[in-house]
Amino acid sequence: MADGYSILVVDDEPAIVRLLCRELSGATHVVFSASTAAEALAHAHSRSFDVAIVDICLPDGRGTDLMQTLRSLQPEMEVICVTGHGSIGDAVEAMRLGAYDYVTKPFNLDELELVVERAYQKSSLRLENRRLRYAKMASGDVVVGMSPAMRKIMYLAERVAPTDVPVLLMGPSGAGKEVMAHAIQRRSHRRDMQFVIKNCATLSRELANSELFGHVRGAFTGALHNHGGLMVEAHKGTLFLDEIGELPLEVQGALLRVLENGSYTPVGEKGSRNCDIRFIFATNRDLAQEVQEGRFSEALYHRINVFTIVVPSLRERMEDVPLLVEHFLQTLPVAQGQQITLDDAAMACLSRYDWPGNVRELRNVIERAVILSENGRIVLRSLPAELVAGGKRSAFIERGSLREMEKTRIIEALKICQENKSLAAKHLGISRKTLYRKLHMYGLTSY
């Protein structure tokens, strides 16, 4: 048999357990045993298994139910069911529910060993495919920029990446927070493990607990099967929770528990489970203000605000625009197989525009411009008309406009009020909501 994997044997007949432990144990792979479903789950909560051999009939439950729970806890695990000659129907049902194979008692040890070996190979292939899929996802996310602002945040990313400290990425929408999360994950000791991404804005209030922490069958209407949730999916890897400010308040306490001691409780389950996850969070909100207004847990805020990196808006690092343009021309699918260049007027326009949509907007503009390029060259006509007009406005801003004066006035007010936004809004004679909108408009979300 292949080396380097672990097997869980679940059977209430001591003689069979002893036989399988003796025959399947190897020099560098190990067999664990359990006589009940509860004991098997205790093993599964404390370590990972590649293959489980589960008797259909157990003293405290059905082997098929245990199989589903084991697979929800450890999705890469393959389960082989054991049944008697008179219970072939149970074996067929187990196959329908996801068992790799079944064997009948009394079984041939050579045949069983071959089935276990094949199950392990399938488990290994699934895990490797998953790792390659995440690696492929991350390979296209490259941090581009040599501006002082980008050098600063890359220094911070390099320092924090090898640790397991939670990271909070702050900055306006489209600035590249997800790209930065990939960069941190690729530089961590978990770089070969799964990198799971979830936008908290997509979590429904009713099912957020289930999506994050999983549920057991029958926990609520529609829960027809066990579900592992994101904690199982990201176990041993990295979980990137984007838009963490959108996480429902009633779920935040459970997430805090995971951050504090690595434990959580699936919906409908009495006991707790453990997980080993590195967390990265991102938001375009002022979480401190959200705490003050009662929309975000203060305890959770202090726990995730251990190491904060503020990703700058594109207008704060305009010297990176040419580098980003070149990067997109080399990596965008629409540009593949072409030699696309920009004329000086088009590049000058891109370098003047103030990019309210940040790097995401620049990417979209370049993608459109490639399609409208003329003989492999992007000219002014290739760019959106509103962008060309906006570029001219930005040139005016650089010479000193009302918008630039307003931005300067806001910065001064924030400094005078020691960055207290409520006081700054009163000082400026505007509402706090208006101040927040202008902070986002001018890329001042770091205040």
Side-chain angles (χ1 to χ4, degrees):
M1 295 177 67
D3 291 341
Y5 64 93
S6 58
I7 304 167
L8 175 63
V9 174
V10 189
D11 199 301
D12 61 340
E13 296 186 42
I16 290 180
V17 170
R18 287 195 299 269
L19 176 65
L20 293 180
C21 288
R22 184 177 69 247
E23 294 295 326
L24 297 177
S25 295
T28 58
H29 53 277
V30 63
V31 179
F32 288 77
S33 65
S35 59
T36 65
E39 190 178 352
L41 290 175
H43 280 306
H45 283 135
S46 62
R47 62 167 296 131
S48 298
F49 293 95
D50 300 289
V51 180
I53 302 172
V54 178
D55 193 358
I56 289 286
C57 298
L58 294 170
D60 57 345
R62 299 284 298 166
T64 49
D65 292 337
L66 173 61
M67 174 191 71
Q68 291 178 276
T69 303
L70 290 173
R71 290 293 303 276
S72 71
L73 286 171
Q74 301 184 24
E76 275 74 42
M77 179 195 296
E78 291 295 341
V79 180
I80 301 166
C81 287
V82 178
T83 184
H85 276 301
S87 304
I88 298 301
D90 290 334
V92 173
E93 174 68 5
M95 294 289 289
R96 186 185 70 81
L97 293 173
Y100 172 76
D101 205 344
Y102 70 92
V103 294
T104 57
K105 297 178 182 179
F107 40 75
N108 182 294
L109 286 174
D110 291 335
E111 291 179 359
L112 176 61
E113 189 170 346
L114 182 59
V115 172
V116 171
E117 174 67 19
R118 289 173 177 169
Y120 165 67
Q121 295 298 337
K122 184 178 179 181
S123 172
S124 299
L125 182 61
R126 181 186 289 112
L127 180 59
E128 184 60 25
N129 286 340
R130 190 177 184 182
R131 289 177 176 176
L132 289 173
R133 183 170 70 252
Y134 285 117
K136 184 178 181 180
M137 286 171 55
S139 65
D141 295 285
V142 179
V143 178
V144 177
M146 293 296 293
S147 62
M150 290 304 295
R151 289 200 297 268
K152 177 182 177 181
I153 67 171
M154 282 309 300
Y155 167 77
L156 295 174
E158 295 277 1
R159 295 300 299 268
V160 76
T163 74
D164 276 336
V165 170
V167 178
L168 175 61
L169 303 174
M170 299 183 67
S173 296
K177 297 187 290 294
E178 184 172 328
V179 173
M180 185 57 58
H182 276 287
I184 293 170
Q185 192 269 345
R186 287 198 305 273
R187 290 161 174 77
S188 74
H189 65 89
R190 299 173 188 256
R191 56 186 169 272
D192 295 325
M193 302 304 292
Q194 55 269 29
F195 182 45
V196 181
I197 301 172
K198 185 64 178 181
N199 189 320
C200 294
T202 67
L203 289 171
S204 67
R205 188 173 299 275
E206 294 77 14
L207 297 178
N209 264 309
S210 171
E211 292 188 58
L212 284 173
F213 310 115
H215 63 254
V216 297
R217 187 175 66 178
F220 51 85
T221 303
L224 303 179
H225 303 285
N226 294 323
H227 171 60
L230 292 178
M231 298 302 127
V232 169
E233 188 176 352
H235 184 57
K236 299 293 184 181
T238 303
L239 177 57
F240 173 46
L241 292 178
D242 199 3
E243 303 296 348
I244 187 63
E246 302 282 350
L247 188 68
L249 190 61
E250 54 268 30
V251 183
Q252 294 176 19
L255 179 59
L256 175 62
R257 181 184 174 196
V258 178
L259 289 164
E260 292 288 357
N261 55 34
S263 68
Y264 66 98
T265 303
V267 179
E269 189 166 294
K270 295 180 180 179
S272 63
R273 301 180 183 180
N274 294 319
C275 61
D276 176 15
I277 299 172
R278 200 280 175 81
F279 286 90
I280 303 176
F281 305 96
T283 183
N284 59 10
R285 293 188 178 189
D286 182 343
L287 292 185
Q289 187 66 37
E290 295 292 298
V291 170
Q292 288 184 20
E293 299 184 0
R295 291 192 295 267
F296 200 83
S297 163
E298 182 175 8
L300 179 60
Y301 170 66
H302 290 305
R303 190 64 186 86
I304 70 176
N305 194 30
V306 177
F307 197 98
T308 300
I309 298 177
V310 179
V311 181
S313 64
L314 184 52
R315 68 172 63 89
E316 295 176 279
R317 55 181 187 110
M318 291 298 289
E319 56 265 60
D320 290 331
V321 168
L323 293 175
L324 287 163
V325 170
E326 183 63 28
H327 169 71
F328 291 138
L329 289 178
Q330 293 177 1
T331 59
L332 284 172
V334 73
Q336 294 303 303
Q338 302 184 64
Q339 292 292 327
I340 306 293
T341 59
L342 277 84
D343 71 9
D344 292 342
M347 179 60 78
C349 179
L350 295 176
S351 298
R352 290 195 303 268
Y353 186 60
D354 57 1
W355 299 109
N358 293 296
V359 179
R360 183 183 295 131
E361 183 184 9
L362 175 60
R363 183 189 188 280
N364 293 341
V365 166
I366 296 302
E367 190 168 31
R368 178 185 187 275
V370 169
I371 297 172
L372 297 177
S373 60
E374 301 176 4
N375 299 317
R377 194 166 182 80
I378 294 174
V379 297
L380 276 177
R381 286 190 301 273
S382 309
L383 302 178
E386 62 272 18
L387 185 144
V388 176
K392 293 175 182 176
R393 285 197 301 271
S394 290
F396 175 65
I397 287 173
E398 291 171 3
R399 292 193 296 271
S401 67
L402 289 174
R403 289 186 63 189
E404 189 65 21
M405 291 169 63
E406 182 179 57
K407 177 180 176 181
T408 301
R409 187 73 182 89
I410 289 173
I411 293 174
E412 290 175 351
L414 287 167
K415 289 180 178 178
I416 292 171
C417 299
Q418 298 181 333
E419 300 188 13
N420 184 311
K421 295 181 179 61
S422 296
L423 290 177
K426 291 179 181 179
H427 186 82
L428 292 165
I430 59 177
S431 69
R432 187 170 56 194
K433 183 177 180 180
T434 299
L435 176 60
Y436 271 59
R437 179 172 57 79
K438 291 183 179 294
L439 289 175
H440 282 284
M441 180 190 303
Y442 296 126
L444 300 174
T445 54
S446 60
Y447 281 91

